[in-house]
Amino acid sequence: MQASILFGNGLDLGYGLKTSYSNFYDYLIHLEDQDEKLGKNLIFQKLKEDYDTDRLEYWKDYEVKLGALTQDFDDIEKFDEDKMEIDLYLEKFLSDENSKLNSIDIKSKDLLMKIIPLIGQCQRVDDKDELKKLFDNHKSEHIHIMPISFNYTETVQKIFNVKETEIINASILNKPGGSYNMYLNKPFYLHGTLGDDMVIGINDANQILNPQWSENEEACDILLKPRLLSQSGQQHMKRYKEIINSSSLICCYGLSIGETDKEYWIEIKQRLLKGDCLLLIYVHDNSLSFRSKTKLRDKYKESFYINSECTDEERELLKNKIIIEVNHDIFSIEYANL
């Protein structure tokens, strides 16, 4: 049995790295006086214009904004040059934040021994029962933990600091038992790593809002994640699909389930529809009221339905296969410091 854990930027934020896009915008704004290249970068100039007029909410999702910004460009080559330049600034910014991990002592195996059993400790009894049924169906199997990072930083790598495959004495809902083992795998970095083919883009041509560019091959090569991943030559999408299709439990931690990652959610949807698989999404909210948690669960389920392009029939089939855990920060830095 394979349990895959997908990590997003929420993990980095929880470890004290200021890696949100709003942090990056602040970094660029403060860099402007020192770097004259930014004055000629049209992507930055649009950011600065919205920054100065209190319209920064339009940049809440940088990748979505990139697709929208194509409306403000006539020259594809200029857009490509400006995007590559901003990508390099982002890499430098993230590298600086990544260096903060050097001051955090993460004892990987000890940390994972505490964390992995918490996957089965759902807050709602109904959800815990669904997980228990899943693991009972695989009780005579080894469990393989497969981490997937949507980030570029080393946080996931430091948490899962293991050899190619390594046995760990941990269990989820008392599984595995007897002569069966739990195996940890090295993290798979879906979008590349710092200094190594970082992929930043949108999901599909429908998100390119310049109508003259949406069917332009060059524009699609610049902006579409599937094409950028293909250009890297590392077979990232092929590997991602193999991992998802081999998974019986798929966990998402620190991910927004957004529209620029639709292709990934569609792949998960297809796996869930094949049966014998659950999706467990960890979300965080400052409110603790019962109703706010219920509304948040509904919101994230709806995001998954929309961004995985579920039909009404598929929604009905999946409604009991998605578990939303609210404020259960099992991978938080507090566990690393114990």
Side-chain angles (χ1 to χ4, degrees):
M1 174 186 177
Q2 181 167 289
S4 296
I5 309 174
L6 285 56
F7 293 97
N9 191 46
L11 178 73
D12 281 353
L13 296 175
Y15 274 72
L17 276 59
K18 295 181 179 179
T19 51
S20 70
Y21 277 127
S22 62
N23 295 138
F24 176 51
Y25 307 150
D26 287 338
Y27 168 83
L28 288 177
I29 296 297
H30 289 103
L31 196 63
E32 181 183 16
D33 292 338
Q34 307 166 33
D35 195 331
E36 62 181 25
K37 287 189 297 184
L38 281 171
K40 301 174 184 177
N41 189 297
L42 295 185
I43 294 176
F44 173 75
Q45 289 306 312
K46 293 301 295 184
L47 163 66
K48 183 72 162 51
E49 181 182 315
D50 288 333
Y51 190 97
D52 289 341
T53 54
D54 293 324
R55 295 184 298 176
L56 202 56
E57 70 274 7
Y58 298 149
W59 293 77
K60 181 172 59 177
D61 189 321
Y62 172 68
E63 291 170 324
V64 169
K65 185 63 177 176
L66 275 180
L69 275 179
T70 58
Q71 299 175 103
D72 300 307
F73 280 78
D74 297 317
D75 185 348
I76 293 176
E77 189 64 32
K78 171 63 174 169
F79 181 87
D80 190 19
E81 290 174 1
D82 286 359
K83 180 184 178 297
M84 286 192 292
E85 196 168 77
I86 296 293
D87 288 352
L88 289 173
Y89 284 116
L90 178 60
E91 183 176 351
K92 174 63 169 64
F93 164 73
L94 291 175
S95 295
D96 291 346
E97 287 300 310
N98 186 71
S99 66
K100 294 178 180 178
L101 293 172
N102 295 331
S103 63
I104 302 174
D105 183 21
I106 299 177
K107 295 180 175 62
S108 179
K109 189 168 283 192
D110 292 343
L111 174 61
L112 292 169
M113 286 280 290
K114 299 166 190 166
I115 284 174
I116 287 176
L118 298 177
I119 292 173
Q121 302 306 312
C122 293
Q123 297 163 358
R124 299 170 73 244
V125 176
D126 286 349
D127 296 335
K128 187 172 182 179
D129 284 348
E130 288 298 322
L131 268 182
K132 188 175 187 306
K133 282 191 288 185
L134 177 70
F135 279 91
D136 284 346
N137 289 341
H138 294 271
K139 61 184 176 183
S140 298
E141 299 177 22
H142 299 302
I143 295 179
H144 298 263
I145 304 294
M146 183 68 230
I148 301 177
S149 179
F150 280 50
N151 304 330
Y152 312 102
T153 60
E154 296 176 345
T155 315
V156 176
Q157 184 178 323
K158 282 184 172 290
I159 291 173
F160 288 86
N161 183 21
V162 297
K163 298 171 184 175
E164 203 60 41
T165 54
E166 189 168 335
I167 296 176
I168 185 172
N169 185 24
S171 63
I172 304 171
L173 295 171
N174 298 319
K175 307 292 185 303
S179 60
Y180 298 94
N181 298 319
M182 178 174 286
Y183 293 89
L184 300 175
N185 291 281
K186 293 183 71 173
F188 166 56
Y189 274 74
L190 177 58
H191 295 145
T193 56
L194 293 171
D196 184 20
D197 297 325
M198 282 175 53
V199 169
I200 303 162
I202 57 180
N203 186 78
D204 55 63
N206 292 327
Q207 294 169 347
I208 299 176
L209 298 192
N210 184 329
Q212 296 180 325
W213 289 18
S214 58
E215 295 184 11
N216 182 287
E217 289 296 312
E218 185 179 359
C220 290
D221 283 344
I222 293 166
L223 277 164
L224 303 194
K225 273 183 191 171
R227 295 204 185 193
L228 292 165
L229 288 171
S230 177
Q231 290 166 31
S232 75
Q234 301 301 321
Q235 300 186 354
H236 285 182
M237 274 306 298
K238 179 183 177 183
R239 177 70 176 132
Y240 174 80
K241 291 178 179 181
E242 289 172 348
I243 293 171
I244 295 303
N245 285 312
S246 300
S247 301
S248 296
L249 175 64
I250 302 166
C251 303
C252 294
Y253 189 92
L255 283 161
S256 63
I257 320 297
E259 62 184 296
T260 55
D261 292 323
K262 275 187 176 184
E263 187 161 349
Y264 308 139
W265 315 137
I266 290 171
E267 200 65 35
I268 291 174
K269 177 192 74 173
Q270 297 297 343
R271 175 64 189 98
L272 293 173
L273 289 170
K274 291 175 186 174
D276 195 30
C277 183
L278 292 176
L279 173 62
L280 174 55
I281 302 175
Y282 292 92
V283 303
H284 186 81
D285 184 65
N286 292 326
S287 176
L288 297 175
S289 74
F290 165 74
R291 276 300 299 155
S292 65
K293 287 184 179 181
T294 300
K295 289 174 72 174
L296 197 61
R297 290 188 183 97
D298 291 342
K299 173 187 172 183
Y300 269 82
K301 279 193 176 183
E302 187 63 20
S303 290
F304 182 79
Y305 293 148
I306 291 171
N307 291 319
S308 65
E309 300 181 353
C310 280
T311 64
D312 290 342
E313 181 182 3
E314 288 171 339
R315 284 172 179 248
E316 188 64 25
L317 291 170
L318 295 180
K319 67 180 183 181
N320 294 322
K321 306 198 75 173
I322 302 173
I323 297 170
I324 311 294
E325 275 288 287
V326 182
N327 295 338
H328 193 180
D329 299 328
I330 67 171
F331 283 93
S332 68
I333 193 171
E334 284 74 16
Y335 291 106
N337 289 334
L338 289 178

